[in-house]
Structure formats: structure tokens, C-alpha cells
Amino acid sequence: MNILSLFVVIPALMLLMLFLSKDLKQIRAIMVAGATALLALSATLVALFIQERAANPEAVMLFTQSVTWFEPLKISYSVGVDGISVAMLVLSAIIVFTGVFSSWNMPMAKEFFLWYCLLSIGVFGFFISTDLFTMFMFYEVALIPMYLLIGLWGTGRKEYSAMKLTLMLMGGSAFLLVGIIGIYYTSGHTTFNLNEIAQTLHIPIEHQRWIFPATFLGFGVLGALFPFHTWSPDGHASAPTAVSMLHAGVLMKLGGYGCFRVAIYLMPEATHELGWIFLILTGISVVYGAFGAVVQTDLKYINAYSSVSHCGLVLFAILMLNRTAMTGAVMQMLSHGLMTALFFALIGLIYGRTHTRDIREMGGLMKIMPFASLCYVIAGLASLGLPGLSGFVAEMTIFVGAFGAKDIFPFAATNTFTTTLTIVACCSIVITAVYILRTIGKILYGPVQDKHHLSLTDAAWFERVSAVGLILAIAFMGLYPSGVSGLIYDSVAPIIERMAML
Amino acid sequence: MDFTNFLMMGQEIGLVAVFLVLFFYDIIASERAKQWFLPVTCVLFAVLTLWGFCPDKPSGEAFGGMFIQSPITVLMKNVLNIATLIVFLQTAGWLGKDELRGRRFEFFLITLITLLGMYIMISSGNFMMLYIGMETASLPLACLAAYNKHKERSAEAGVKFVLISALSSAVMLFGLSFLYGATGSFYFTDMSTAVSGQPLVIIGLVFFFGGLGFKLSLVPFHLWTADVYEGAPTSVTAYLSVVSKGAAAFALLFALYKVFGSIEQVWQNIIWWLSVITITLGNLFAIRQTDIKRFFAFSSISQAGYILLGIIAGNAQGMASTVYYVLVYVFSNLAAFAVISAVENATKGQTTIAAFNGLYKNNPRLSLVMTFAVFSLGGIPPFAGFFSKFFIFMAAASSEQYLLVFIALLNTVVSLYYYLLIVKAMFINEPVSEPVRIRSDVYNKISMLTCVVGILLLGIFGFFFYNIADKFSFGI
């Protein structure tokens, strides 16, 4: 069996074993074993990928395999990865692993983990697919468990949020599906395979004009593109810890990944013509999300709006259409995935003890739970882009790439348009510092607001596992960025080359 | 007389044979022997269904082109057989009641007659034949709807069904008379050469749609659906919602492809509007329902709208995806009805959605079956409904109906909303009354198992079926 298919097979096996499991002990054993196996698998994949890449520098995708599925409709199950997908797979494995530990004491554990495994099948399957049908199928597999995970195990206005999230994302996938079918027919209905369409077929420009916005919007909704981001704050605020982690950490990356893998890669001409519209929208996302976070008082809402801002930056960088910025975009996906997961893990930890997420009702937590507070500070510093942590390398790469970006858009001859937008987006760094420092100052330092908080305990061992794991990954990325960007930089090339040919 | 004609009617003859065996069993057998009514019926019918899948059935035209058998019609009849078999399995709890003692066989006999009518509809090569099939299928259905005759609602459903079906037959016959006037024949083959854009033909076509639209419960002709579905016994509702609907869809498909192929533009326009309003209105009305049977009535209306998306394509892909869609719809909808009848039997006839509140706490398996069913109906992977929806959208897009596909897709989001309401009721809501541990009978369990296997396997391993359907299908 192809090594990539294992990423789907392992969660599927976990699902099956969970069905047969009897008590909490078995459930935990299955989840830890499975998540560890996935983590090990992703590490193996990185090693193998680097080897294989050195031996075979020309191929766009490695480890490819294709099995015919629905022959009359030219649908096949095809897998393959480049550096970007490998990076995403590693990210997903880390977050699935830490998510298991963050939901150690879930009520109705069996059901929770069943849906959790289904969600991971969708996520992993999406990143390994190169066939548009398979990709879309996994995409939807990842969306629907959200409804029950939030609706059943969530907090606050969970039913409303769960429904809103599901319907908005499904609305996005309606755009996406019509786009995918459009790609298939207008490229000559011979294949659903992404790479084949990109390399040998061509979609006529008059069709690209409607397919590009449809697919970009479809994925953009999941990537929290303004003004379709409103599901994200509500959804994240109501979701249980592990689900917030997985959702903000991985699922929102499906949006960004899909935007360039499908929308931009397959339709370069339309990207040239229409990309500027979305570039403006993403610029708004970046700044608006940051401002939104400044005025929120609920920890999860703050983090959710900050996710809107950071994920907006991913789409922003992708649309700059140059190699540096796009590499930065992928690094930002990784960095944001890791630190936002850390944030949500810690918020879950704090909320589980204080039973409030309102920052006005908390204070002085540094003395009460020093370990958790320290982790929170590290996450905050990563988020506002302190050198040595992951956020800095990602944002730096993005802004360097974006500032020097040639204006590829038809109406502007010089690079004033992109430069202006870059300057606007840069402002978000300052605003990020405002809300991060405000939150840290408010809840970690200062006087204790509630006497009951004094008796709270610090993080338990399983919570420490999850936090330390994420911090290690963040620090690794911050201290050894060339290792990560090297993986990505080559893989961006085919997309950029298609752009350059125009 | 040339008896070789009958060779082609293997499935019809088999069905009549099953009917006769049951009929004489009912007359001859003692009360004690009659206790085995359900296993006997199911085994006999299962044999017929399995036999239908044996390859290499003779095909061709019989009785001068009146009756047409081809591999694809055999396949369609098999789909209907599977659905009927599952419905039979679900009747155990209802027919086992004391008040129906002595009338149990009638249900199966009448159902088999309607099925025969549907076979004829599918295989007809002549509009008169189609009409006879439709009447054979419609009138006994009214008996079935009124089967719980001591219940007012059931009797009301029967009367409504009879009146509206009579009206729609009249409308259809009126249309057929126009068609006859314009082309001078009722044979599909003769008519297809004579049909061009004559106004008379177009008027006839519109009236013809009215007749079949009633059976499919497309939107302007759907008003009977909710009332009849609500009043009829649950098993009959299940039968109406899948078998009767599937047969009508297949008959419409053949009539449009074979006879009106040359005026494709005209009927594609009609179908475009019909499917948009059917899907949209079906969805919007479903949201407001509080009775689960009415709810599924509107959901099945919108599903009929999706079936039209396969028909509109006008090519082999459209036919294959329609057959596939109906098969998946059979499993998904019948899984839902299996749960509904289990809950109904356990709660003394409660069919409100509120009766499903908190079902998961005491009946996790039942709720899981229901969840699979509604997810499949809503088109969520990895369940079969996702695949069938995707293929039907692809079929519609193959004739460049992108806008229609998009409207239908937006509607799937709406439909997901109300399907999720059911899921929410079962998993999230608190039970209103004392929760009951529901024990369904073994037959209903078999039917649920079959449906769940179908929902799970027809998607990922659906290519077995789809490839066969694709091989036998043909376009205009």
C-alpha cells in the first residue's frame, strides 16, 4: 500500500476499533496509539520525501498513485504529495496528537472520538488527494462531524453556532462543487486529476472567469475570507477545546491550501484578471480581524478574531503570486496552526478551571498556574511575531515577498497597488501586539479578581503533554526556519511558473 | 399466437406467479399456517428479486412494440424489487397487530399488483400501455393508503389519493389525445419520427407532464403528498415515497428520451423550471413541519426535484445517474422509514418530530440508522447519497446546466438544515416524555441492516452498480 493511503487507513482503523471498545481505558489507549502512529508516520514521510526529492527533483508530486474508481466518469482515487502537502500533513498529525490529550476527560468519550476520527480522516485525506472528486469528498467528510462535535460537546450558544458553522461552510462547498464540475467539463471532461489538468489541459478563459471566483470563494469561506468569516468566531467560541484546536489549526488551512492548489493552480489567467478583488477582501480580513480581536472580552472570541486576521494573511500572501510570499503563506499556515492550537488548548485549560472566559473576571493567573501562564505568554509572543518563534519567520517572509511583488493585475502598471496593500496589512502586526499584550496583562498579571481562583491547580500531565508538544514545534520552526521553508520553496515553483508563462 | 413474446416478460410472469402463490396460500392455508405470512412472502419475493439479477435476460420488443424489455429496464425493475422487499420487511410490526388479523395478505397482494403496474409503465412502448400501467399502479395504491380503515386519517388519505389520481389521469389522457392528433400513433417509435415542434405536440407534452408529475409529486402537482403521506400507514408511505416515485421517474425518462428526443429544448425548459420550484418549495415547506411523516413527504418532494436533474441531461450519463440516484434514495429513505415505524410502533402511533427528542440516550442504534439515512439524503460523504448527488449534478452539467446545478446545490444547504434538525432532536435535545427502550422486531432489524449496508457500501463501492447502469444506458 502507498504510504500516503496509510494516513487515511490509520484513522479508519481507529474508528473501527473505537466501535468495538468497551471502557474509557481502551478508548484512550486506541486514541493515543493511533495518534502516535500518525505522528510517527508523518515524520517518516518527511524523511522519505526529502530522500525522494533529492533523487527526483523534476516531478511535481511524489509518491503518486492512482486507482480508477468510477470508470465512466473518469473519477479515480489518486494521491500524491509535494512539500506543501507534506508540511500540512505534519501539522495535522501534530494537532490531532495534541488534541487527543487536550480532550482527555471528555464526557461521552467514545462518541466524541468517533467523530474526531472521522474528522481526521477528512483532513488527512484532503491533503493527500490529487483527484478533485476525492479531494472534495474528504473536504466534506471533514466538515460534517463539526456539527455534532460542537452541538453536543460545546459550550454557550452551541446549537446556534454549530448550525451556523455547518451551513456557511456547506454553502461554500456548494460554490466549490459547481466549480469542480465546471473544471471537469470545460477542460474537456477527460480527467479529475489536478496535475493532469494543470499540465496537459486548458480551461478556456471565458469559463475561468466564473470557475475561479466560485472555487476561490468556496475554499475562501473555510479560510475565513471577509465577509464570510462570521461562522468562525461563533464556531470557535462554542466548540470544545480539541475541536477548536483542530478546526482553527487544521481545518481553516484546508481553505488556504485549496485556494492555491485548485483555484490559482488551475486557472492562472483568471487569477490575473480577478485576483485583485480577492486581494482587497483578504486585506480587509487581516486588518478587520485584528481590530475585532482588540474589542472582544471573551478569550475564545479574541483568539477566533485573531485567527481571521492570520488566516486572512495566508490568503493575502497567496494572492501576491510570487515565490517568497507564497512560501511565507505556507509557513504562516503552519505557524498559525500550531500557535492557535496552543492558544485553544490553554484557553480550554483555563476555562475548565475558572469556568469563565471573560478576561475582566480573571487576573493574576501567573501566580496561580505558572506553567499554563508561561505557555500562554509563549503562544502570545509567537502570535505577535517575536523572533525565534514561528510567527516571526512566517510574517517576515510574507511581507518581504509581498512588498516586492510586481503588480500582476491588469489595471496597475507599477507595484503601487500591492505595496499599498502590504503596508495596510503590516499595520495588523501592531494591532496584534495590542490585543495580545492587553490579554496577557489582564489575565496573567495584576490583582486576582476572584478569590476562588486562588485554589485552582496548575495543568495536569496530559495538558502539559499537549502544550509542550506544540511549543516544541513552534520553537523548532522559529529556530530552524530554513528546514521548513526549504521543503516548501521548491514546491511552490510549478504554480509560479504557470503564472510566469502568461 | 406467438408465445415467444412471453419469454421476454420473465419478471412480470415471476411477479404474477408470486402473487398467485400468495393468493392461494391465503385461501387454502389454516389460521395456524398463516402465522408464517411474512417469512413466506419475503422469501418468495426475495427469490424473485435475486432471480432478477441473473444476467442474460432476453430483451427486445414484444406484442408489436407494445412491450419493450432491455437490460436497463431489467435493472430498473430490480431496483423497484429491492425497495419493495425492504418495505415488506418493515410491515411486520404494523401487520402483526390484532386489528389487521385476517387482512394481512391483502396488503401484499395489492402491493404486488401495483408493482406489476409499475413494471408495465417502465416497459411500455406505447402510450396506451403506459396509461394502463399507471392506472394499475394508482388505484390499488388508494386502497393501501386507506388500509387502516378504522382510522379517519387513513380513509381520508385514500379518498384524496383516488380523487387526485383520477384528475391527473384525466389530464394526462387529455394530453395524450393531443399527441395522437398530432402524430397519428401511440407507438413510441412511430411518434418519435413524427414529433417536431408542432404546437399541438407541445400542449400534449405539457399535459402529459401533469399526469406523471402527479405521481412524482413535482411541485405544482404535489398538494396531495403531505396529506396522503401523513394519513397512510407508515409502510405504505414508505412504498409511495420510493417505489411509486422511482417507477414514475423511469417512465418519464423513457417517454422523454424515446419520443420527444427531437424537441429536447422544449422539455428541458419545462424540467428546468419544474425542478427549481420543486426542490426549492419542497425544502422550504419541509423546514416548518412538526410531523415526521409530513416532513419526509416534503423531503421526498425535493428529492424528486433532484431526480429531474438526471433526466434533464438527455444522455446516457443522465440515465445511468438517475437509476443510481433512485437506488441510493431507496436505501436512504427506507432506512429513515424503518426507524419511523419502529418509533411509531413503540410509542403508540406517535409521529411527531418531538417523539425523536433524546432518542440517542436509550436507542443509540436506531438513532445511528436515522443519522446515516438523513446524512445520505442530505448528500454527506462517505454515505452513498453524496455520490449519487454528485453524479446527478455531473449529469446535469454535462448538458451545460450550470445554473441549475448551482441552484440545486444551494438547496442542498437548505435541506441539510432540516435534516440536521432531526439529528439535533435525536442527539442534542432532551426527551420530553419518559424515554422508552425500543425493541424492534427481527424483520425490521433486517430491513435496517440492509439499508445501512446499502448506504455505506453503495457509495465507496458504488462503481459496481454504476458501471453496469452506465453500460446499459442510452441517450436521445
Side-chain angles (χ1 to χ4, degrees), chain A residues 62-79:
Chain A
L62 296 175
F63 304 109
T64 50
Q65 188 196 19
S66 187
V67 183
T68 306
W69 196 356
F70 286 88
E71 209 267 319
L73 298 171
K74 317 280 193 309
I75 290 172
S76 47
Y77 167 80
S78 9
V79 293

Side-chain angles (χ1 to χ4, degrees), chain A residues 69 72 111 159 177 181 185, chain B residues 317 360 390 394 424 460 467:
Chain A
W69 196 356
E111 287 86 350
E159 287 159 32
L177 179 51
I181 293 180
Y185 280 110
Chain B
Q317 193 185 346
Y360 182 73
F390 194 95
M394 275 184 73
K424 178 179 158 230
I460 295 163
N467 289 356

Side-chain angles (χ1 to χ4, degrees), chain A residues 373-396:
Chain A
S373 305
L374 186 67
C375 297
Y376 201 95
V377 173
I378 295 175
L381 293 179
S383 180
L384 58 76
L386 190 80
L389 296 169
S390 62
F392 172 74
V393 286
E395 285 179 6
M396 194 64 197

